[in-house]
Amino acid sequence: MSVLTLGQVRIHAGSSTQEAALQEATDILVTAGAVTPAYVDAMRQREETVSTYMGNGLAIPHGTNDAKDAILGSALSVVRYDGGVDWAGEQATFVVGIAGKGDEHLEILSQIAILFSDEDDVEKLNAAQTPEELFALLSAVNE
């Protein structure tokens, strides 16, 4: 079971708002069959409690624990906004939406965190020209 497919990876030249980025992350996860449209509300609630901005240009929005009903399976959405997203005052370039069934989100979170903790890796992720290139760099999350 792959948590990430090429269709769940996007690159946008422009910027976005946090709200629009949360909606896009949810839409990708809905299309992947991982969540119901209500998941965006759980993501918003999480942001109200604590920002999911992680540093190194990465935000990893995910739902609150109350959102279990909205989660149908485990999946990721990865969107790079080259113009950035104002994420509670921080500048996010990557918005990685996470839906995890049961405890799977912890495993997925740790793999994403490892990938983005290495500045060389982040540089490669930022330099990828196409969704295909970006997906190839991220495909380790499926292992």
Side-chain angles (χ1 to χ4, degrees), residues 3 6 8 21 30 41 46 56-58 62 93 119 133 135:
V3 291
L6 179 55
Q8 288 151 242
V30 167
D41 296 326
R46 166 82 62 194
N56 267 353
L58 170 69
H62 51 285
T93 306
E119 285 185 12
E133 279 181 47
F135 174 70

Side-chain angles (χ1 to χ4, degrees), residues 31 39 47 65 71 73 75 84 87 96 107 112 118 120 125-126:
T31 302
Y39 192 63
E47 297 299 335
N65 293 338
I71 298 175
W87 207 270
V96 178
E107 177 63 30
I112 293 293
D118 186 311
D120 291 342
L125 294 166
N126 277 310

Side-chain angles (χ1 to χ4, degrees), residues 28-50:
I28 293 171
L29 293 170
V30 167
T31 302
V35 302
T36 68
Y39 192 63
V40 72
D41 296 326
M43 281 187 173
R44 285 189 197 113
Q45 283 167 358
R46 166 82 62 194
E47 297 299 335
E48 281 165 22
T49 321
V50 57

Side-chain angles (χ1 to χ4, degrees), residues 59-137:
I60 45 172
H62 51 285
T64 55
N65 293 338
D66 304 340
K68 292 296 173 216
D69 294 346
I71 298 175
L72 310 171
S74 298
L76 284 176
S77 64
V78 178
V79 185
R80 191 180 82 198
Y81 297 94
D82 291 344
V85 180
D86 180 337
W87 207 270
E90 301 285 354
Q91 188 75 354
T93 306
F94 282 89
V95 178
V96 178
I98 297 177
K101 197 80 179 141
D103 291 332
E104 286 177 21
H105 70 283
L106 297 173
E107 177 63 30
I108 300 167
L109 274 170
S110 69
Q111 285 179 309
I112 293 293
I114 290 164
L115 192 60
F116 278 87
S117 63
D118 186 311
E119 285 185 12
D120 291 342
D121 287 342
V122 174
E123 224 166 88
K124 285 179 197 151
L125 294 166
N126 277 310
Q129 296 294 306
T130 62
E132 287 79 5
E133 279 181 47
L134 191 52
F135 174 70
L137 292 167

